[in-house]
Amino acid sequence: MLVLLPPSEGKASAGGGAPLDIGSLSLPGLTAAREAVLGELVELCAGDEEKAREVLGLSEGLRGEVAKNAGLPTAGARPAGEIYTGVLYDALDLATLDAAARRRAARTLLVFSGLWGAVRVTDRIPSYRCSMGVKLPALGALAGHWRAPMAEVLPEAAGDGLVLDLRSAAYAAAWKPKGEVAERTATVRVLHAPTRKVVSHFNKATKGRMVRSLLTAGAAPKDPAALVEVLRELGYVVEAEAPGRAGKGWALDVLVEEVH
């Protein structure tokens, strides 16, 4: 099973640990693309601060993120699972998993990123600010920059098992499973059952809890149909729509009664 997660806009400080070793990150086929984004981002943020803030879509209150990006090559790094914060990651709460569940998280979780493309939760990265929606002056839109290298690397990372896609639309644009990989991919929406509407906060929280439940239970569903059964056994109310034709994935709706 491979679980695709969005990052968080907010990130914890990496502190004063050893700096990034970009060559040590998982999915080494993405290294050249990572170096290109990192190089342009650092150059942008080390220059005109106002231009950098505009390109990155940062408010006045986030002006300090520009200087942080400029210092990325020498900044301290920590495991990505400790860097990413926010609603989904608070609910997932990797730090409190038992040892076996942490090992499963290291194998199965893949966090997408405008800067790194995708990283494992054990990959050591610095705190940064660069969303997938950014359009850098030279490289252009980051989702487009990542499509070709992702298409080369991700099918191998997916192996022959289930792909559980919990990414937001901006990050899903960087890699869309195709062919037989798509057929074993399940995307998930979380709906408020009485209204059938998606609400951002509890959507993220429920996805975090759901991944935690799968990791804690040691569940390893091989395909979307098995995932539906596992989630129901874990107490989730799931409606599933199987693909109507070849090369398409499954769409799952997880229904939640209370907004929390």
Side-chain angles (χ1 to χ4, degrees):
M1 179 173 67
L2 184 68
V3 182
L4 311 181
L5 297 174
S8 58
E9 287 298 318
K11 298 172 184 70
S13 169
L20 168 75
D21 176 3
I22 201 165
S24 73
L25 299 179
S26 301
L27 309 177
L30 300 179
T31 299
R34 288 167 174 153
E35 289 173 341
V37 180
L38 179 62
E40 185 173 356
L41 181 64
V42 170
E43 182 179 0
L44 171 71
C45 292
D48 185 331
E49 185 179 88
E50 290 305 316
K51 179 181 179 182
R53 198 158 63 87
E54 179 181 355
V55 169
L56 297 174
L58 300 177
S59 67
E60 175 65 32
L62 294 173
R63 181 180 293 274
E65 299 292 295
V66 174
K68 183 167 73 174
N69 281 348
L72 285 173
T74 57
R78 287 167 57 190
E82 299 175 16
I83 292 291
Y84 293 115
T85 58
V87 175
L88 188 154
Y89 292 91
D90 285 348
L92 175 54
D93 200 5
L94 289 167
T96 62
L97 292 173
D98 63 34
R102 286 199 299 273
R103 287 193 294 270
R104 287 189 283 271
R107 291 194 306 268
T108 62
L109 304 187
L110 199 61
V111 184
F112 275 62
S113 162
L115 176 52
W116 314 116
V119 292
R120 303 282 186 185
V121 293
T122 50
D123 284 330
R124 295 180 66 260
I125 59 172
S127 182
Y128 67 97
R129 192 78 176 212
C130 184
S131 72
M132 190 64 81
V134 164
K135 184 176 181 180
L136 292 174
L139 290 178
L142 289 179
H145 170 76
W146 286 112
R147 281 190 195 111
M150 289 283 195
E152 291 290 327
V153 170
L154 266 294
E156 181 180 352
D160 59 2
L162 168 72
V163 178
L164 175 55
D165 190 351
L166 303 179
R167 297 172 297 167
S168 55
Y171 291 90
W175 181 61
K176 296 182 179 180
K178 295 181 179 180
E180 60 88 20
V181 180
E183 293 172 7
R184 47 188 168 83
T185 296
T187 59
V188 175
R189 296 188 306 172
V190 180
L191 302 181
H192 185 211
T195 64
R196 309 291 295 191
K197 292 182 179 179
V198 174
V199 180
S200 178
H201 179 89
F202 81 92
N203 170 55
K204 294 175 182 177
T206 301
K207 286 178 177 178
R209 286 193 290 269
M210 184 174 68
V211 174
R212 183 181 176 88
S213 296
L214 291 168
L215 294 173
T216 301
K222 297 297 185 183
D223 55 42
L227 172 66
V228 172
E229 294 306 311
V230 167
L231 288 175
R232 288 172 176 165
E233 290 171 4
L234 291 171
Y236 293 90
V237 179
V238 182
E239 295 179 353
E241 182 180 342
R245 61 184 188 276
K248 297 294 180 181
W250 286 56
L252 308 186
D253 286 342
V254 176
L255 306 183
V256 180
E257 290 290 336
E258 295 183 4
V259 180
H260 62 89

